[in-house]
Each structure stands twice: as structure tokens, then as C-alpha cells.
Amino acid sequence: PRRRAPRAAAAPPARPGAMAVSAEVQAARDKLKARMGDSRTGGKGTARRTKVVKHQNHGADDKQLQAQLKRLGMNSIPGIEEVN
């Protein structure tokens, strides 16, 4: 295996894991932060996306009901949709 050449030591950033940011970019971020307030769209501690609930298809229920009625030897009466 090859060995990598040692890198020159750079000045440590202000925060651990942070990169140096130009003054123009920092000014734009501050301007956006002032405009948007305290909202945050990601990162640690934010709410997760809610799961989208897909509604079940009830078209298959009628088929299953007809199959059960056929097994029992019953016939559906055409024109009647509901019985009280």
C-alpha cells in the first residue's frame, strides 16, 4: 500500500468541523437569517418528515365480498345496494 505525503498544518477553524467562509457569503447568510428569523430546515433536532398515508383501495373489497357470497351459495340481487 502507498503512503500518503503528510499535509501542511492549517490554522484550526473557529468551530470544530467548520470551514472558513468568505465575508461576502457570511454577509448573505446573516441577511437571510435576519429575513427568515429563527427557522431551521435541517440538522440535529429538527422534526422528521411525516409519513404519507396511502389510502387502501376498497375496490377489492367488493370482489372479496362477491367471492364469499358465491362460496355460501348466495346470489346478489341487482339494483339493491343496501339492506337495513
Side-chain angles (χ1 to χ4, degrees):
R2 289 184 161 185
R3 291 188 176 180
R4 293 185 181 177
R7 289 185 164 181
R15 300 183 295 166
M19 294 177 61
V21 180
S22 68
E24 185 179 328
V25 172
Q26 190 60 47
R29 285 182 183 170
D30 292 339
K31 186 177 176 184
L32 243 176
K33 196 178 282 187
R35 187 182 297 174
M36 293 298 168
D38 215 13
S39 65
R40 190 164 69 170
T41 58
K44 190 174 179 181
T46 57
R48 294 188 178 189
R49 182 179 292 184
T50 56
K51 182 180 175 186
V52 177
V53 178
K54 295 184 179 177
H55 298 290
Q56 293 179 348
N57 187 5
H58 294 292
D61 286 349
D62 191 43
K63 289 180 186 177
Q64 290 173 349
L65 180 64
Q66 293 300 325
Q68 288 290 340
L69 290 174
K70 188 174 182 182
R71 246 183 248 144
L72 293 170
M74 299 180 169
N75 295 326
S76 62
I77 303 170
I80 297 177
E81 306 223 353
E82 192 175 312
V83 177
N84 290 336

